[in-house]
Structure formats: C-alpha cells, structure tokens
PDB file of all heavy atoms in Angstrom:
ATOM      1  N   ASP A   8     100.459 127.512 125.142  1.00 89.00           N
ATOM      2  CA  ASP A   8     101.275 128.721 125.131  1.00 89.00           C
ATOM      3  C   ASP A   8     102.762 128.398 125.231  1.00 89.00           C
ATOM      4  O   ASP A   8     103.605 129.299 125.311  1.00 89.00           O
ATOM      5  CB  ASP A   8     100.863 129.664 126.265  1.00 89.00           C
ATOM      6  CG  ASP A   8     100.952 129.014 127.641  1.00 89.00           C
ATOM      7  OD1 ASP A   8     101.420 127.852 127.736  1.00 89.00           O
ATOM      8  OD2 ASP A   8     100.550 129.655 128.628  1.00 89.00           O
ATOM      9  N   GLN A   9     103.097 127.107 125.208  1.00 92.00           N
ATOM     10  CA  GLN A   9     104.492 126.682 125.303  1.00 92.00           C
ATOM     11  C   GLN A   9     105.096 126.326 123.948  1.00 92.00           C
ATOM     12  O   GLN A   9     106.273 125.987 123.874  1.00 92.00           O
ATOM     13  CB  GLN A   9     104.613 125.479 126.245  1.00 92.00           C
ATOM     14  CG  GLN A   9     104.226 125.791 127.689  1.00 92.00           C
ATOM     15  CD  GLN A   9     104.320 124.558 128.575  1.00 92.00           C
ATOM     16  OE1 GLN A   9     103.395 123.744 128.639  1.00 92.00           O
ATOM     17  NE2 GLN A   9     105.440 124.424 129.237  1.00 92.00           N
ATOM     18  N   VAL A  10     104.282 126.397 122.886  1.00 93.00           N
ATOM     19  CA  VAL A  10     104.790 126.086 121.559  1.00 93.00           C
ATOM     20  C   VAL A  10     104.443 127.204 120.580  1.00 93.00           C
ATOM     21  O   VAL A  10     103.546 128.015 120.832  1.00 93.00           O
ATOM     22  CB  VAL A  10     104.230 124.750 121.023  1.00 93.00           C
ATOM     23  CG1 VAL A  10     104.591 123.599 121.942  1.00 93.00           C
ATOM     24  CG2 VAL A  10     102.723 124.830 120.817  1.00 93.00           C
ATOM     25  N   LYS A  11     105.143 127.190 119.455  1.00 94.00           N
ATOM     26  CA  LYS A  11     104.832 128.102 118.354  1.00 94.00           C
ATOM     27  C   LYS A  11     104.627 127.261 117.097  1.00 94.00           C
ATOM     28  O   LYS A  11     105.354 126.294 116.861  1.00 94.00           O
ATOM     29  CB  LYS A  11     105.958 129.103 118.137  1.00 94.00           C
ATOM     30  CG  LYS A  11     105.638 130.132 117.048  1.00 94.00           C
ATOM     31  CD  LYS A  11     106.721 131.198 116.938  1.00 94.00           C
ATOM     32  CE  LYS A  11     106.365 132.216 115.846  1.00 94.00           C
ATOM     33  NZ  LYS A  11     107.404 133.275 115.725  1.00 94.00           N
ATOM     34  N   ILE A  12     103.648 127.650 116.309  1.00 94.00           N
ATOM     35  CA  ILE A  12     103.327 126.935 115.078  1.00 94.00           C
ATOM     36  C   ILE A  12     103.872 127.728 113.897  1.00 94.00           C
ATOM     37  O   ILE A  12     103.556 128.909 113.737  1.00 94.00           O
ATOM     38  CB  ILE A  12     101.805 126.732 114.926  1.00 94.00           C
ATOM     39  CG1 ILE A  12     101.198 126.148 116.210  1.00 94.00           C
ATOM     40  CG2 ILE A  12     101.516 125.853 113.727  1.00 94.00           C
ATOM     41  CD1 ILE A  12     101.774 124.822 116.622  1.00 94.00           C
ATOM     42  N   LEU A  13     104.695 127.078 113.087  1.00 95.00           N
ATOM     43  CA  LEU A  13     105.333 127.732 111.944  1.00 95.00           C
ATOM     44  C   LEU A  13     104.849 127.116 110.632  1.00 95.00           C
ATOM     45  O   LEU A  13     104.756 125.893 110.509  1.00 95.00           O
ATOM     46  CB  LEU A  13     106.857 127.591 112.033  1.00 95.00           C
ATOM     47  CG  LEU A  13     107.524 128.135 113.303  1.00 95.00           C
ATOM     48  CD1 LEU A  13     109.000 127.767 113.324  1.00 95.00           C
ATOM     49  CD2 LEU A  13     107.353 129.647 113.384  1.00 95.00           C
ATOM     50  N   ASP A  14     104.563 127.970 109.656  1.00 94.00           N
ATOM     51  CA  ASP A  14     104.196 127.496 108.329  1.00 94.00           C
ATOM     52  C   ASP A  14     105.452 127.093 107.561  1.00 94.00           C
ATOM     53  O   ASP A  14     106.550 127.613 107.808  1.00 94.00           O
ATOM     54  CB  ASP A  14     103.463 128.588 107.550  1.00 94.00           C
ATOM     55  CG  ASP A  14     102.116 128.925 108.150  1.00 94.00           C
ATOM     56  OD1 ASP A  14     101.433 127.990 108.605  1.00 94.00           O
ATOM     57  OD2 ASP A  14     101.763 130.117 108.182  1.00 94.00           O
ATOM     58  N   PHE A  15     105.278 126.170 106.605  1.00 93.00           N
ATOM     59  CA  PHE A  15     106.373 125.810 105.717  1.00 93.00           C
ATOM     60  C   PHE A  15     106.376 126.730 104.499  1.00 93.00           C
ATOM     61  O   PHE A  15     105.316 127.101 103.986  1.00 93.00           O
ATOM     62  CB  PHE A  15     106.239 124.352 105.257  1.00 93.00           C
ATOM     63  CG  PHE A  15     106.721 123.350 106.257  1.00 93.00           C
ATOM     64  CD1 PHE A  15     105.814 122.622 107.020  1.00 93.00           C
ATOM     65  CD2 PHE A  15     108.080 123.137 106.438  1.00 93.00           C
ATOM     66  CE1 PHE A  15     106.254 121.694 107.956  1.00 93.00           C
ATOM     67  CE2 PHE A  15     108.530 122.213 107.373  1.00 93.00           C
ATOM     68  CZ  PHE A  15     107.617 121.486 108.134  1.00 93.00           C
ATOM     69  N   GLN A  16     107.573 127.070 104.043  1.00 92.00           N
ATOM     70  CA  GLN A  16     107.694 127.916 102.863  1.00 92.00           C
ATOM     71  C   GLN A  16     107.416 127.143 101.580  1.00 92.00           C
ATOM     72  O   GLN A  16     107.041 127.729 100.564  1.00 92.00           O
ATOM     73  CB  GLN A  16     109.098 128.530 102.826  1.00 92.00           C
ATOM     74  CG  GLN A  16     109.360 129.493 103.975  1.00 92.00           C
ATOM     75  CD  GLN A  16     110.820 129.883 104.107  1.00 92.00           C
ATOM     76  OE1 GLN A  16     111.626 129.636 103.198  1.00 92.00           O
ATOM     77  NE2 GLN A  16     111.176 130.477 105.237  1.00 92.00           N
ATOM     78  N   GLU A  17     107.594 125.822 101.633  1.00 87.00           N
ATOM     79  CA  GLU A  17     107.288 124.990 100.467  1.00 87.00           C
ATOM     80  C   GLU A  17     105.770 124.885 100.311  1.00 87.00           C
ATOM     81  O   GLU A  17     105.093 124.272 101.134  1.00 87.00           O
ATOM     82  CB  GLU A  17     107.890 123.585 100.638  1.00 87.00           C
ATOM     83  CG  GLU A  17     109.408 123.548 100.543  1.00 87.00           C
ATOM     84  CD  GLU A  17     110.101 123.826 101.871  1.00 87.00           C
ATOM     85  OE1 GLU A  17     109.414 124.195 102.843  1.00 87.00           O
ATOM     86  OE2 GLU A  17     111.322 123.687 101.945  1.00 87.00           O
ATOM     87  N   ASN A  18     105.242 125.493  99.258  1.00 85.00           N
ATOM     88  CA  ASN A  18     103.778 125.527  99.105  1.00 85.00           C
ATOM     89  C   ASN A  18     103.175 124.191  98.725  1.00 85.00           C
ATOM     90  O   ASN A  18     101.957 124.053  98.669  1.00 85.00           O
ATOM     91  CB  ASN A  18     103.366 126.607  98.098  1.00 85.00           C
ATOM     92  CG  ASN A  18     103.985 126.402  96.722  1.00 85.00           C
ATOM     93  OD1 ASN A  18     104.509 125.323  96.430  1.00 85.00           O
ATOM     94  ND2 ASN A  18     103.934 127.425  95.882  1.00 85.00           N
ATOM     95  N   TRP A  19     104.005 123.176  98.431  1.00 83.00           N
ATOM     96  CA  TRP A  19     103.478 121.860  98.089  1.00 83.00           C
ATOM     97  C   TRP A  19     103.318 120.972  99.322  1.00 83.00           C
ATOM     98  O   TRP A  19     102.809 119.858  99.216  1.00 83.00           O
ATOM     99  CB  TRP A  19     104.383 121.166  97.072  1.00 83.00           C
ATOM    100  CG  TRP A  19     105.838 121.120  97.473  1.00 83.00           C
ATOM    101  CD1 TRP A  19     106.798 122.022  97.156  1.00 83.00           C
ATOM    102  CD2 TRP A  19     106.474 120.122  98.270  1.00 83.00           C
ATOM    103  NE1 TRP A  19     108.004 121.661  97.703  1.00 83.00           N
ATOM    104  CE2 TRP A  19     107.832 120.487  98.389  1.00 83.00           C
ATOM    105  CE3 TRP A  19     106.040 118.953  98.887  1.00 83.00           C
ATOM    106  CZ2 TRP A  19     108.755 119.733  99.113  1.00 83.00           C
ATOM    107  CZ3 TRP A  19     106.963 118.199  99.601  1.00 83.00           C
ATOM    108  CH2 TRP A  19     108.301 118.594  99.710  1.00 83.00           C
ATOM    109  N   LEU A  20     103.729 121.468 100.466  1.00 84.00           N
ATOM    110  CA  LEU A  20     103.594 120.684 101.694  1.00 84.00           C
ATOM    111  C   LEU A  20     102.161 120.768 102.198  1.00 84.00           C
ATOM    112  O   LEU A  20     101.852 121.458 103.171  1.00 84.00           O
ATOM    113  CB  LEU A  20     104.580 121.166 102.759  1.00 84.00           C
ATOM    114  CG  LEU A  20     105.978 120.569 102.659  1.00 84.00           C
ATOM    115  CD1 LEU A  20     106.931 121.238 103.637  1.00 84.00           C
ATOM    116  CD2 LEU A  20     105.940 119.073 102.941  1.00 84.00           C
ATOM    117  N   LYS A  21     101.290 120.088 101.493  1.00 86.00           N
ATOM    118  CA  LYS A  21      99.874 120.087 101.800  1.00 86.00           C
ATOM    119  C   LYS A  21      99.357 118.659 101.757  1.00 86.00           C
ATOM    120  O   LYS A  21      99.993 117.776 101.195  1.00 86.00           O
ATOM    121  CB  LYS A  21      99.088 120.950 100.804  1.00 86.00           C
ATOM    122  CG  LYS A  21      99.506 122.417 100.772  1.00 86.00           C
ATOM    123  CD  LYS A  21      98.737 123.167  99.701  1.00 86.00           C
ATOM    124  CE  LYS A  21      99.202 124.616  99.599  1.00 86.00           C
ATOM    125  NZ  LYS A  21      98.866 125.380 100.801  1.00 86.00           N
ATOM    126  N   LYS A  22      98.199 118.463 102.332  1.00 87.00           N
ATOM    127  CA  LYS A  22      97.590 117.142 102.356  1.00 87.00           C
ATOM    128  C   LYS A  22      96.157 117.265 101.840  1.00 87.00           C
ATOM    129  O   LYS A  22      95.356 118.024 102.400  1.00 87.00           O
ATOM    130  CB  LYS A  22      97.603 116.579 103.773  1.00 87.00           C
ATOM    131  CG  LYS A  22      97.268 115.102 103.894  1.00 87.00           C
ATOM    132  CD  LYS A  22      97.533 114.634 105.317  1.00 87.00           C
ATOM    133  CE  LYS A  22      97.368 113.137 105.461  1.00 87.00           C
ATOM    134  NZ  LYS A  22      97.680 112.669 106.840  1.00 87.00           N
ATOM    135  N   ASN A  23      95.850 116.542 100.769  1.00 90.00           N
ATOM    136  CA  ASN A  23      94.502 116.549 100.199  1.00 90.00           C
ATOM    137  C   ASN A  23      93.685 115.400 100.771  1.00 90.00           C
ATOM    138  O   ASN A  23      94.170 114.272 100.849  1.00 90.00           O
ATOM    139  CB  ASN A  23      94.573 116.412  98.679  1.00 90.00           C
ATOM    140  CG  ASN A  23      95.197 117.628  98.024  1.00 90.00           C
ATOM    141  OD1 ASN A  23      94.761 118.744  98.241  1.00 90.00           O
ATOM    142  ND2 ASN A  23      96.232 117.407  97.230  1.00 90.00           N
ATOM    143  N   PHE A  24      92.468 115.689 101.151  1.00 93.00           N
ATOM    144  CA  PHE A  24      91.577 114.672 101.703  1.00 93.00           C
ATOM    145  C   PHE A  24      90.428 114.419 100.739  1.00 93.00           C
ATOM    146  O   PHE A  24      89.855 115.349 100.161  1.00 93.00           O
ATOM    147  CB  PHE A  24      91.029 115.109 103.062  1.00 93.00           C
ATOM    148  CG  PHE A  24      92.071 115.153 104.138  1.00 93.00           C
ATOM    149  CD1 PHE A  24      92.768 116.322 104.403  1.00 93.00           C
ATOM    150  CD2 PHE A  24      92.365 114.026 104.889  1.00 93.00           C
ATOM    151  CE1 PHE A  24      93.743 116.362 105.382  1.00 93.00           C
ATOM    152  CE2 PHE A  24      93.330 114.055 105.882  1.00 93.00           C
ATOM    153  CZ  PHE A  24      94.028 115.224 106.130  1.00 93.00           C
ATOM    154  N   TYR A  25      90.077 113.133 100.596  1.00 94.00           N
ATOM    155  CA  TYR A  25      89.055 112.726  99.637  1.00 94.00           C
ATOM    156  C   TYR A  25      88.041 111.792 100.296  1.00 94.00           C
ATOM    157  O   TYR A  25      88.387 111.003 101.187  1.00 94.00           O
ATOM    158  CB  TYR A  25      89.683 111.983  98.458  1.00 94.00           C
ATOM    159  CG  TYR A  25      90.719 112.768  97.695  1.00 94.00           C
ATOM    160  CD1 TYR A  25      92.047 112.763  98.105  1.00 94.00           C
ATOM    161  CD2 TYR A  25      90.374 113.515  96.572  1.00 94.00           C
ATOM    162  CE1 TYR A  25      93.018 113.476  97.401  1.00 94.00           C
ATOM    163  CE2 TYR A  25      91.328 114.230  95.862  1.00 94.00           C
ATOM    164  CZ  TYR A  25      92.651 114.208  96.286  1.00 94.00           C
ATOM    165  OH  TYR A  25      93.600 114.916  95.589  1.00 94.00           O
ATOM    166  N   LEU A  26      86.824 111.888  99.824  1.00 95.00           N
ATOM    167  CA  LEU A  26      85.795 110.903 100.166  1.00 95.00           C
ATOM    168  C   LEU A  26      85.802 109.882  99.038  1.00 95.00           C
ATOM    169  O   LEU A  26      85.614 110.232  97.870  1.00 95.00           O
ATOM    170  CB  LEU A  26      84.427 111.571 100.267  1.00 95.00           C
ATOM    171  CG  LEU A  26      83.246 110.682 100.650  1.00 95.00           C
ATOM    172  CD1 LEU A  26      83.415 110.145 102.062  1.00 95.00           C
ATOM    173  CD2 LEU A  26      81.933 111.448 100.525  1.00 95.00           C
ATOM    174  N   ILE A  27      86.044 108.612  99.373  1.00 95.00           N
ATOM    175  CA  ILE A  27      86.226 107.605  98.326  1.00 95.00           C
ATOM    176  C   ILE A  27      85.244 106.443  98.480  1.00 95.00           C
ATOM    177  O   ILE A  27      84.704 106.200  99.556  1.00 95.00           O
ATOM    178  CB  ILE A  27      87.666 107.055  98.304  1.00 95.00           C
ATOM    179  CG1 ILE A  27      87.969 106.252  99.580  1.00 95.00           C
ATOM    180  CG2 ILE A  27      88.671 108.182  98.119  1.00 95.00           C
ATOM    181  CD1 ILE A  27      89.285 105.499  99.535  1.00 95.00           C
ATOM    182  N   ALA A  28      85.061 105.734  97.370  1.00 93.00           N
ATOM    183  CA  ALA A  28      84.226 104.528  97.337  1.00 93.00           C
ATOM    184  C   ALA A  28      84.725 103.648  96.199  1.00 93.00           C
ATOM    185  O   ALA A  28      85.445 104.118  95.312  1.00 93.00           O
ATOM    186  CB  ALA A  28      82.762 104.883  97.130  1.00 93.00           C
ATOM    187  N   ASN A  29      84.356 102.396  96.226  1.00 91.00           N
ATOM    188  CA  ASN A  29      84.694 101.489  95.137  1.00 91.00           C
ATOM    189  C   ASN A  29      83.832 101.825  93.920  1.00 91.00           C
ATOM    190  O   ASN A  29      82.621 102.006  94.046  1.00 91.00           O
ATOM    191  CB  ASN A  29      84.465 100.036  95.568  1.00 91.00           C
ATOM    192  CG  ASN A  29      85.014  99.045  94.561  1.00 91.00           C
ATOM    193  OD1 ASN A  29      84.597  99.007  93.410  1.00 91.00           O
ATOM    194  ND2 ASN A  29      85.951  98.233  95.000  1.00 91.00           N
ATOM    195  N   LYS A  30      84.455 101.895  92.755  1.00 87.00           N
ATOM    196  CA  LYS A  30      83.720 102.288  91.546  1.00 87.00           C
ATOM    197  C   LYS A  30      82.623 101.306  91.172  1.00 87.00           C
ATOM    198  O   LYS A  30      81.636 101.675  90.535  1.00 87.00           O
ATOM    199  CB  LYS A  30      84.695 102.444  90.371  1.00 87.00           C
ATOM    200  CG  LYS A  30      85.386 103.794  90.318  1.00 87.00           C
ATOM    201  CD  LYS A  30      86.111 103.985  89.003  1.00 87.00           C
ATOM    202  CE  LYS A  30      86.604 105.419  88.884  1.00 87.00           C
ATOM    203  NZ  LYS A  30      87.309 105.673  87.610  1.00 87.00           N
ATOM    204  N   THR A  31      82.791 100.047  91.563  1.00 84.00           N
ATOM    205  CA  THR A  31      81.803  99.039  91.182  1.00 84.00           C
ATOM    206  C   THR A  31      80.675  98.905  92.200  1.00 84.00           C
ATOM    207  O   THR A  31      79.693  98.208  91.945  1.00 84.00           O
ATOM    208  CB  THR A  31      82.465  97.656  91.014  1.00 84.00           C
ATOM    209  OG1 THR A  31      82.952  97.202  92.288  1.00 84.00           O
ATOM    210  CG2 THR A  31      83.621  97.731  90.032  1.00 84.00           C
ATOM    211  N   ASN A  32      80.829  99.557  93.333  1.00 82.00           N
ATOM    212  CA  ASN A  32      79.857  99.375  94.407  1.00 82.00           C
ATOM    213  C   ASN A  32      78.660 100.311  94.226  1.00 82.00           C
ATOM    214  O   ASN A  32      78.821 101.478  93.868  1.00 82.00           O
ATOM    215  CB  ASN A  32      80.509  99.646  95.764  1.00 82.00           C
ATOM    216  CG  ASN A  32      79.645  99.182  96.920  1.00 82.00           C
ATOM    217  OD1 ASN A  32      78.798  98.313  96.757  1.00 82.00           O
ATOM    218  ND2 ASN A  32      79.853  99.762  98.080  1.00 82.00           N
ATOM    219  N   VAL A  33      77.484  99.796  94.472  1.00 81.00           N
ATOM    220  CA  VAL A  33      76.268 100.614  94.475  1.00 81.00           C
ATOM    221  C   VAL A  33      75.998 101.014  95.915  1.00 81.00           C
ATOM    222  O   VAL A  33      75.744 100.168  96.770  1.00 81.00           O
ATOM    223  CB  VAL A  33      75.069  99.839  93.900  1.00 81.00           C
ATOM    224  CG1 VAL A  33      73.824 100.711  93.917  1.00 81.00           C
ATOM    225  CG2 VAL A  33      75.374  99.367  92.495  1.00 81.00           C
ATOM    226  N   LEU A  34      76.086 102.293  96.193  1.00 85.00           N
ATOM    227  CA  LEU A  34      75.968 102.763  97.567  1.00 85.00           C
ATOM    228  C   LEU A  34      74.556 102.600  98.106  1.00 85.00           C
ATOM    229  O   LEU A  34      73.566 102.755  97.392  1.00 85.00           O
ATOM    230  CB  LEU A  34      76.376 104.233  97.654  1.00 85.00           C
ATOM    231  CG  LEU A  34      77.830 104.570  97.295  1.00 85.00           C
ATOM    232  CD1 LEU A  34      78.075 106.058  97.447  1.00 85.00           C
ATOM    233  CD2 LEU A  34      78.805 103.778  98.150  1.00 85.00           C
ATOM    234  N   SER A  35      74.474 102.282  99.390  1.00 85.00           N
ATOM    235  CA  SER A  35      73.182 102.204 100.064  1.00 85.00           C
ATOM    236  C   SER A  35      72.583 103.599 100.178  1.00 85.00           C
ATOM    237  O   SER A  35      73.264 104.612  99.990  1.00 85.00           O
ATOM    238  CB  SER A  35      73.359 101.595 101.457  1.00 85.00           C
ATOM    239  OG  SER A  35      74.152 102.451 102.269  1.00 85.00           O
ATOM    240  N   SER A  36      71.305 103.671 100.509  1.00 83.00           N
ATOM    241  CA  SER A  36      70.641 104.971 100.614  1.00 83.00           C
ATOM    242  C   SER A  36      71.278 105.817 101.708  1.00 83.00           C
ATOM    243  O   SER A  36      71.444 107.032 101.556  1.00 83.00           O
ATOM    244  CB  SER A  36      69.149 104.776 100.893  1.00 83.00           C
ATOM    245  OG  SER A  36      68.947 104.000 102.058  1.00 83.00           O
ATOM    246  N   GLN A  37      71.673 105.193 102.837  1.00 88.00           N
ATOM    247  CA  GLN A  37      72.278 105.966 103.913  1.00 88.00           C
ATOM    248  C   GLN A  37      73.676 106.469 103.539  1.00 88.00           C
ATOM    249  O   GLN A  37      74.074 107.578 103.929  1.00 88.00           O
ATOM    250  CB  GLN A  37      72.329 105.173 105.225  1.00 88.00           C
ATOM    251  CG  GLN A  37      73.024 103.827 105.159  1.00 88.00           C
ATOM    252  CD  GLN A  37      72.046 102.700 104.907  1.00 88.00           C
ATOM    253  OE1 GLN A  37      71.015 102.892 104.256  1.00 88.00           O
ATOM    254  NE2 GLN A  37      72.351 101.516 105.412  1.00 88.00           N
ATOM    255  N   ALA A  38      74.415 105.683 102.747  1.00 90.00           N
ATOM    256  CA  ALA A  38      75.729 106.126 102.284  1.00 90.00           C
ATOM    257  C   ALA A  38      75.590 107.295 101.313  1.00 90.00           C
ATOM    258  O   ALA A  38      76.380 108.246 101.338  1.00 90.00           O
ATOM    259  CB  ALA A  38      76.477 104.973 101.628  1.00 90.00           C
TER     260      ALA A  38
END
C-alpha cells in the first residue's frame, strides 16, 4: 500500500515469453 503501479503509454513496452528448444534436438518423452 506504499507504492502505486503505473502503466506505460508506449504500447510497445511489452515482453514476449517463449518456450524454446534446439531445432536439431529430439525431445525426450517427458519434455
């Protein structure tokens, strides 16, 4: 309650998250 959270007006200020793997790797069954 001691801070305030403000949005940015720049709509490009975002962070994209990805699940990645090596293209040559064959994933295990658990992966």
Side-chain angles (χ1 to χ4, degrees):
D8 57 5
Q9 296 178 276
V10 301
K11 183 175 180 180
I12 310 301
L13 303 173
D14 294 321
F15 280 103
Q16 294 168 13
E17 290 86 352
N18 59 14
W19 52 268
L20 275 173
K21 300 176 183 293
K22 192 171 186 178
N23 293 306
F24 292 92
Y25 302 87
L26 181 65
I27 67 171
N29 189 299
K30 277 191 171 181
T31 66
N32 193 23
V33 180
L34 297 181
S35 65
S36 56
Q37 55 266 30

